[in-house]
Structure formats: structure tokens, C-alpha cells
Amino acid sequence: MLRLQSPLPESYTTSTGPDLAERIAAAKKALGDRLMILGHHYQRDEVMRWADARGDSFGLSRQAATSEAEYIVFCGVHFMAESADILTGPSQKVILPDLNAGCSMADMADVDSVDEAWHELAAVTDVDDIVPITYMNSAAALKAFVGRMGGAVCTSSNARAVLTWALRQKGPDSKVLFFPDQHLGRNTAYDLGFSEDDMAVWDPRRDLGGLDEAIVKGSRFLLWKGHCSVHQRFRPAHVEAFRSSHPEGKVIVHPECAHDVVELADEVGSTDFIIAAVERAQPGTVIAVATEIHLVQRLADEHPHLKIVSLDPLVCPCSTMFRIDAAHLAWVLEELVAGRVVNQITVDPVTAGDARVALQRMLDIA
Ligand code: 13P
Ligand code: SF4
């Protein structure tokens, strides 16, 4: 989703890398403790080097919740900055260096379609038995919906714990409506011991999600038809090709990958988990990683005693994470030094209140 912002002034677009680095360093120094820069693992190195804390979306939401900095510059994507705004105090300001850094998966579910799905479900089944769970990769309005309906947010690092919690909230007929990523929902449900018969994909473009009433009633997991375009590129054929050239190699994948890829992997987990798994590997291990290329490349650079490659040799970066660059970072920081706040992310108080309930449930569960 494109969001309007003022164009980046020419003094940034024409600056060289070393000049931008000097400007960022000076602005950071001038702002001191008033500033905290958070960097998601998919950020470019030219941005990540300035992060005061790096993390996956769960770790960064915790950092935001505990930070006392006046300005939190979030080098990540829009939904992460929104969550940070919800979890920080009223006097703190959250800034996203480029407002067009969205997430195509998050855009696959909006509150109107989820509300409509809820009403359609209510016509055929008892919605009191349904716990809605939204992946962190979703707009604040969806987190608020979930907060109002007794559900919670989850991230890729705590989806198992949150779904276990959700299934305990109601009786034996309880269901989970999981959005927007069908893959994380499916992979976690399999991980919890459920089978394909327990799950159905809800297509928001079709009446009753394209499902029969009997299927809706018989399913434990209704999985929203959304996906990440970066992670769905990884295919079982990539695992097979890697294994035939590196029979001793390891395959580590993110749970946004399709289940047929996850099934063939040695390990599966969030970006923080992937980093920890690489750090545990014996020297000389060859590892194929299925996640965004900037993280894979950084892991390869930081672990020269291992051979780390992307599982898909024709890699595709996350184009929205890539929007945050040194020029935008320098711009928002220099504006702060000048006393101007640009690209602030604010969630209205009513939405924020309901969304905070859902985020807090997640933080309490995990
Ligand atoms: P993590 O929570 O693992 O950092 O993932 C966020 C994300 O957007 C993955 O595509
Ligand atoms: Fe969204 Fe996929 Fe990019 Fe993650 S990698 S921010 S899910 S588009």
C-alpha cells in the first residue's frame, strides 16, 4: 500500500555513501539517549550498522515496549512501526524512514474483509467458539479486531505458544481463524499435531471463504488465503537440488515458506531462530537458508567458517524492506536534530487501545 510522504530532498539523493554515513553518525551523536534505532534483520547493511538493537519482529516489539527513548526510528516495515507506536508511551514518537515500506502480505487482509468473514461465519457456526489470531504482519486495525474478539497477535517465533493458548480458550469444538499468512498458520497447526483434515483455506474473495458449511464446521483452523511473496518462492525442488550437491548440508527455513518446503527442512523458525541455528553450526557446515536475502548474505559474511547460501539461487529481496536506505535514515535523523518530526507513525487511540490488548496477550503468553 503506497503512503504519501514528502519527496526526499536532493541533498540526500545526491549524497555519497560515506557522506550519508557521516551525517547519520553526527545526527545520532546529537540526539544521544533521546533516540533509539531499531533494525529488522532484513535491512540492508548500510542501515543495519546504525541499529541500537537488531531483531525479529517479536524481539523488536519487546525492545519498543521497554525503550524509554523519545524517538524510536524503526528500520523495518509499516506494521512493525505501528506495533511499536501501540506499545510505547504517549510522549514517545515512532518514525518509519520511508512511509512506503509496507508489507504485501499484511495488505492481503483488511479489517473490512475480516469483519465480513466473521459475519459469514456467524451465519453458519457459533463464533463464540472461534479465536481470531493475527500474525504480527497485519495492520493495527486487525490487531484491534482480534483484541476486541478475545484473540491475540502472534509472530513467527511464538506462533506455537499462541495457537496452543488459543485452543485452550474455548471447548473441544474451538476453532482458530488465522490471518493473513496461511503458511505460518498451517505449519504451526501441523507442528501441533493437527492434520490437513483439520484445516481449511478461507478465500476472502469468495462467499463463505469458498468453503462448504460442513467444512467450516469441521475445521479447527481456518487459514486466510495470504502469503509472503518472498518466502513462497522457495520450492521443494530447491531443497532437492541443494541436498543432491551437499548431502551433508543443512536446510533452515522460515515458517512463512510453504509446508512442502518446511517438511523437507532440517530446522524451521523465525529470523532470530535462523541466526541462532547458524551460530550453533560446526565449522565447515554448508547451510542453505530460506529467507530474505539480506539476512542470508549477512549471515554468510559474519560466519566465514561456514558456507551459507540462499536455498533459492535466484533470490528475491523484500522490496519494501529495501526501501529503507541510508538516505532516508539520514533525512529523518537530521530532521529530528532540527526539531522536526517527519514520517511519524501514529495509531488512533481507540484502535491502539484494542490492539494493545491483543499485543499484550501475546507478550504475556510468549
Ligand atoms: P520475523 O518475525 O521472523 O522477523 O519475520 C518477519 C517477517 O516479515 C518475515 O517475512
Ligand atoms: Fe512482508 Fe514478506 Fe517482506 Fe516479511 S518478507 S516484510 S512478510 S513481504
Side-chain angles (χ1 to χ4, degrees):
M1 194 183 296
L2 279 182
R3 295 169 174 95
L4 287 179
Q5 69 181 343
S6 359
L8 196 59
E10 208 179 305
S11 78
Y12 298 96
T13 53
T14 55
S15 264
T16 61
D19 178 42
L20 289 169
E22 240 174 71
R23 292 168 74 169
I24 293 171
K28 244 193 120 177
K29 192 162 173 221
L31 292 163
D33 290 349
R34 296 169 68 203
L35 169 73
M36 178 163 209
I37 301 180
L38 298 178
H40 185 268
H41 295 305
Y42 293 165
Q43 291 292 294
R44 313 162 179 228
D45 284 348
E46 71 181 46
V47 169
M48 206 55 160
R49 61 184 283 211
W50 303 107
D52 297 303
R54 300 176 177 195
D56 64 4
S57 51
F58 180 61
L60 292 177
S61 67
R62 277 218 151 126
Q63 290 281 349
T66 52
S67 169
E68 285 177 4
E70 185 180 345
Y71 304 122
I72 297 191
V73 172
F74 210 122
C75 298
V77 288
H78 194 269
F79 70 81
M80 298 181 180
E82 272 190 337
S83 299
D85 181 54
I86 293 163
L87 291 169
T88 49
S91 61
Q92 293 174 290
K93 294 182 171 53
V94 176
I95 290 141
L96 182 66
D98 184 337
L99 293 185
N100 291 318
C103 164
S104 52
M105 176 208 281
D107 291 343
M108 288 177 192
D110 61 75
V111 73
D112 291 340
S113 350
V114 170
D115 209 38
E116 199 180 310
W118 196 258
H119 281 98
E120 286 187 75
L121 285 167
V124 298
T125 191
D126 185 356
V127 281
D128 283 346
D129 285 342
I130 306 181
V131 181
I133 300 293
T134 189
Y135 189 21
M136 184 68 125
N137 300 31
S138 59
L142 283 181
K143 295 184 175 86
F145 173 90
V146 157
R148 286 194 298 276
M149 300 299 182
V153 177
C154 78
T155 70
S156 54
S157 61
N158 59 28
R160 196 177 203 279
V162 173
L163 286 193
T164 304
W165 169 87
L167 293 168
R168 284 200 195 119
Q169 297 311 296
K170 313 275 166 153
D173 296 333
S174 68
K175 299 184 198 311
V176 168
L177 174 63
F178 189 92
F179 38 87
D181 184 23
Q182 59 171 300
H183 299 296
L184 179 65
R186 182 177 298 109
N187 288 324
T188 314
Y190 272 118
D191 189 32
L192 287 170
F194 289 91
S195 72
E196 203 186 329
D197 294 346
D198 299 310
M199 309 173 211
V201 175
W202 181 277
D203 182 347
R205 285 169 299 256
R206 298 177 62 191
D207 289 343
L208 198 59
L211 302 171
D212 283 348
E213 200 176 314
I215 300 270
V216 170
K217 287 191 167 127
S219 300
R220 301 295 304 278
F221 296 90
L222 296 167
L223 308 171
W224 198 263
K225 196 173 181 196
H227 64 267
C228 165
S229 48
V230 175
H231 288 90
Q232 77 158 15
R233 286 176 59 94
F234 297 102
R235 304 300 318 136
H238 295 131
V239 183
E240 283 147 21
F242 174 76
R243 294 229 192 265
S244 69
S245 45
H246 301 96
E248 305 294 315
K250 273 190 167 299
V251 175
I252 311 178
V253 308
H254 193 280
E256 286 174 15
C257 294
H259 187 62
D260 52 6
V261 175
V262 166
E263 262 181 326
L264 297 174
D266 298 301
E267 299 197 67
V268 52
S270 75
T271 51
D272 260 3
F273 174 93
I274 292 171
I275 295 169
V278 164
E279 280 165 2
R280 284 193 301 268
Q282 294 299 314
T285 312
V286 185
I287 306 175
V289 181
T291 197
E292 207 271 346
I293 190 61
H294 287 85
L295 173 56
V296 180
Q297 196 51 55
R298 186 172 307 114
L299 285 169
D301 295 344
E302 290 176 355
H303 299 84
H305 59 291
L306 305 170
K307 183 170 187 270
I308 297 173
V309 296
S310 168
L311 182 63
D312 174 4
L314 294 174
V315 284
C316 159
C318 172
S319 56
T320 47
M321 285 274 179
F322 195 65
R323 282 184 173 270
I324 311 290
D325 57 8
H328 283 85
L329 180 58
W331 173 51
V332 297
L333 294 184
E334 288 188 340
E335 288 293 307
L336 290 178
V337 174
R340 293 184 293 267
V341 179
V342 289
N343 287 7
Q344 185 180 352
I345 301 298
T346 43
V347 178
D348 73 81
V350 175
T351 305
D354 291 341
R356 196 174 297 115
V357 171
L359 279 162
Q360 194 55 52
R361 280 192 193 121
M362 171 190 81
L363 293 170
D364 293 343
I365 295 164

